[in-house]
Amino acid sequence: MIRESELILNPDGSIYHLNLKPEQVATTIILVGDQNRVARISSHFDTIEHQVQKREFCTHTGTYKGKRLTVISTGIGPDNIDIVINELDALFNIDLETRQPKKELTSLNFIRFGTSGSLQADIPVDSFVLSSHGLGMDNMLHSYCDIHQVTEKEIEDAFIKHTNWNEHKGRPYIVACGETLKKKLLTSEVFEGITGTAPGFYGPQGRVLRLAVQDSELNDKLHNFKHNNFRMTNLEMETSAIYGLSKLLGHQAVSLNVIIANRTNGTFTKDTKQAVEKLIVFGLNQIAKNV
């Protein structure tokens, strides 16, 4: 039995951080960073059956073109992803009354709708990128056993060599997206490549304000990294954590990002709201048709 200190429930029986019960969540879940983006997505729904918010975790469940969906805000960073993915998995795969893992497990679909910065000049602002892999430059996934079963060691070794990676930062990890889900969402208008996941916005992504960074050439190294048919396409703060935990737990995950900044040529979208809206409409229609 999982102890109360490890699987924490609220007095109403909902899971601790998300404030959700199993029946309030769909098996296809859209993840967004910004809590305000949840309502922007659910405004497209035909019906909304449940809404709840606790801290930065805002959740709406409803239907879009007959497809039952949940959209939930994760906040920023791999640490928040650790909370969201584990608690959503627990809602489906742990009996909250007996506190025992279920014998028959449910595989979930996680689809991130995010914003990101492009590392390649030919991937312009306002375009879409699907992450073939998430490259984690954080240490979150190393807290779990057997991650070697889901990571891509050959690509990791090539990346470490290419960047002359500082060993004090911890070993980068690379996890592929859910292949089944990718085939349902990838179209000719979407770029595909490796998405770097940084554990911060400033120094970890090479931004210099008043503090010097450990590797001032890191972004150039990311831009130039290629392995077989894969190249680095963009940089953000959640994808590798979503991919790693999803794969360890037996779920499908894909990250779709709209590019709002191009770090190579220094451009930024003229209208962030319109760019995000374009991604929302595209993503919802792909899910409704194919997932």
Side-chain angles (χ1 to χ4, degrees), residues 13-273:
S14 62
I15 200 139
Y16 183 59
H17 294 93
L18 305 186
N19 220 31
L20 289 166
K21 297 178 181 179
E23 65 272 16
Q24 296 166 342
V25 186
T27 56
T28 295
I29 301 163
I30 299 168
L31 303 175
V32 298
D34 182 0
Q35 58 191 280
N36 295 320
R37 197 173 298 158
V38 173
R40 289 185 61 185
I41 294 174
S42 68
S43 69
H44 293 271
F45 287 5
D46 306 312
T47 62
I48 299 176
E49 65 186 69
H50 185 73
Q51 300 179 58
V52 68
Q53 179 162 4
K54 183 178 180 182
R55 302 185 186 181
E56 63 265 55
F57 307 113
C58 177
T59 304
H60 291 186
T61 295
T63 58
Y64 177 77
K65 295 185 177 180
K67 179 77 176 180
R68 188 169 186 251
L69 301 172
T70 291
V71 55
I72 182 169
S73 58
T74 64
I76 299 174
D79 50 346
N80 274 19
I81 296 299
D82 182 63
I83 291 172
V84 171
I85 299 295
N86 274 295
E87 291 198 0
L88 288 171
D89 175 80
L91 289 175
F92 285 90
N93 293 317
I94 296 174
D95 185 316
L96 301 185
E97 293 186 3
T98 65
R99 296 181 168 272
Q100 297 282 1
K102 295 179 179 178
K103 293 182 179 179
E104 293 187 12
L105 301 179
T106 299
S107 179
L108 305 174
N109 292 316
F110 292 112
I111 303 145
R112 168 169 154 77
F113 287 5
T115 57
S116 186
S118 170
L119 294 168
Q120 303 294 338
D122 66 312
I123 302 179
V125 294
D126 302 327
S127 61
F128 301 151
V129 171
L130 186 150
S131 308
S132 63
H133 300 76
L135 187 159
M137 293 179 281
D138 63 287
N139 282 312
M140 188 278 293
L141 204 66
H142 290 296
S143 296
Y144 296 93
C145 294
D146 301 325
I147 69 168
H148 65 278
Q149 295 181 6
V150 302
T151 56
E152 306 281 343
K153 185 177 185 300
E154 181 180 328
I155 310 178
E156 292 171 358
D157 289 342
F159 178 79
I160 290 168
K161 181 178 180 181
H162 174 78
T163 57
N164 191 26
W165 190 257
N166 187 323
E167 63 180 12
H168 295 296
K169 291 182 177 179
R171 180 182 174 87
Y173 61 91
I174 298 179
V175 184
C177 69
E179 194 66 28
T180 300
L181 193 54
K182 180 182 103 168
K183 291 176 181 178
K184 297 177 179 180
L185 298 175
L186 187 63
T187 72
S188 59
E189 61 187 292
V190 178
F191 292 90
E192 182 183 5
I194 301 172
T195 294
T197 296
F201 184 78
Y202 289 97
Q205 294 190 37
R207 291 183 172 93
V208 177
L209 301 184
R210 292 204 313 120
L211 295 174
V213 296
Q214 180 271 324
D215 186 352
S216 61
E217 298 178 352
L218 179 59
N219 280 1
D220 288 335
K221 295 173 182 177
L222 294 174
H223 164 78
N224 293 322
F225 178 66
K226 295 179 181 178
H227 185 78
N228 295 333
N229 296 322
F230 299 107
R231 63 173 178 164
M232 294 288 299
T233 50
N234 58 312
L235 189 60
E236 47 83 90
M237 295 179 64
E238 287 83 30
T239 293
S240 67
I242 295 169
Y243 283 11
L245 288 173
S246 295
K247 194 151 281 192
L248 284 171
L249 290 166
H251 306 303
Q252 289 280 310
V254 158
S255 183
L256 284 172
N257 283 277
V258 62
I259 298 300
I260 61 171
N262 187 295
R263 300 294 298 277
T264 301
N265 57 34
T267 55
F268 195 83
T269 182
K270 301 298 183 185
D271 191 333
T272 302
K273 185 176 181 180

